[in-house]
Amino acid sequence: MNGPAGVRANYDTAIANQKSLEAQVQAAEAQVNLSQINLDYTDIRSPIDGKIGRTAVTEGNVVSPTTGTLTTIVSQDPMYVTFPVSVKQALVLRERYAAKGVRDAVVIVLRLPDGRIYGQTGHLDFESNSITQTTDTLLLRGTIPNPPLYLAPNPVRELTDGELVTVMLEGAEPVEVPAIPRAAVLSDQQGNYVLVLGTENKVEQRRIQVGQSTTTIASVTTGLSLGDKVIVEGIQRVRPGQVVAPGPASAGVQAAMNQPERVGPRPGASQLGSTNAAQRAMTRDGG
């Protein structure tokens, strides 16, 4: 066709061919993008920085969603420490530091398995919203720094995932409490008590609450006041209501009180027990 109709037909055919070729180009680009996505899947990157464990497969193996766990990566710094506290103790902490906020007022201190005090301190960042009925405890979690001890050839850190440590909670501003020889603390079915001198040197029984203690010294959180006279020697020979002739403690007892065993980095710490330094499921950097 050489007329106007023929020219129009040739034009429409050319436009149709152009659009067809453009569609083919777009389909090829989509295939390239899909191939790039599939290629990217072969390079597996961890969402966190940490230390890699033993790998289940080696380079060159074919893996799929059904292959399972390829390896485990544990975040190194900071670490989480999870530990339970009794409901009674949790209420005491809440009441003592309610004005400042428990998380800001309480410092976490760790005692390592070899007995050393860990050089870093942490803070609380989580508490469970329910009580563990079988143990009547509340699960708490804190974060604590875990910087490298040295870098070459591979970074080595003090805390390791799954390590068992002893957790101590202490106030940012330690509380001063009376301390007495550990041997002066007696116990019965109702709890702890000491024998003190009342009026006219008459022996009295005084119920107390014992805080952080060592093998030689006990701190008394309630029950004693400054100036109370506690019987520390010859306890087996006296009874409540008996009048005695008091005297100073022996040189050995006084020496033990003047040089107490160190049980924590600062006075006022409250030892809560042994717990995991960083459980495997809870060692993510920053939560």
Side-chain angles (χ1 to χ4, degrees), residues 29 37 50 57 83 94 112 118 123 129 135 168 187 215 221:
E29 290 176 347
I37 292 174
V57 296
F83 53 96
R94 186 180 303 169
L112 301 176
Y118 182 49
H123 64 276
N129 59 359
T135 58
M168 294 179 287
S187 301
T215 56
T221 57

Side-chain angles (χ1 to χ4, degrees), residues 23-200:
Q24 293 179 31
V25 171
Q26 291 177 358
E29 290 176 347
Q31 187 61 44
V32 170
N33 292 335
L34 179 61
S35 299
Q36 184 62 50
I37 292 174
N38 291 332
L39 179 62
D40 292 340
Y41 284 150
T42 63
D43 186 11
I44 302 175
R45 297 182 179 273
S46 170
I48 63 171
D49 293 331
K51 186 176 182 180
I52 191 172
R54 183 175 60 88
T55 58
V57 296
T58 57
E59 185 176 354
N61 291 132
V62 177
V63 296
S64 68
T66 60
T67 302
T69 302
L70 303 181
T71 188
T72 301
I73 297 178
V74 176
S75 176
Q76 298 284 283
D77 187 17
M79 295 288 274
Y80 282 146
V81 53
T82 58
F83 53 96
V85 298
S86 67
V87 175
K88 180 180 178 181
Q89 200 162 26
L91 294 176
V92 171
L93 290 173
R94 186 180 303 169
E95 181 179 357
R96 181 180 299 173
Y97 300 111
K100 297 182 179 180
V102 176
R103 294 188 182 184
D104 296 330
V106 173
V107 176
I108 295 177
V109 178
L110 301 183
R111 186 189 297 278
L112 301 176
D114 60 0
R116 292 182 295 113
I117 299 297
Y118 182 49
Q120 302 286 337
T121 59
H123 64 276
L124 293 174
D125 73 338
F126 169 81
E127 65 179 55
S128 177
N129 59 359
S130 61
I131 304 298
T132 303
Q133 297 295 327
T134 54
T135 58
D136 194 32
T137 57
L138 181 68
L139 185 66
L140 301 181
R141 187 188 73 184
T143 59
I144 191 165
N146 189 30
L149 297 176
Y150 53 86
L151 297 177
N154 295 315
V156 175
R157 303 172 190 268
E158 189 75 79
L159 299 179
T160 306
D161 174 43
E163 183 178 355
L164 291 177
V165 298
T166 300
V167 176
M168 294 179 287
L169 292 184
E170 63 178 48
E173 298 179 0
V175 178
E176 293 185 358
V177 295
I180 60 176
R182 189 68 178 86
V185 180
L186 304 175
S187 301
D188 58 16
Q189 294 181 348
Q190 298 180 24
N192 295 321
Y193 68 93
V194 293
L195 299 178
V196 300
L197 292 182
T199 57
E200 298 180 354

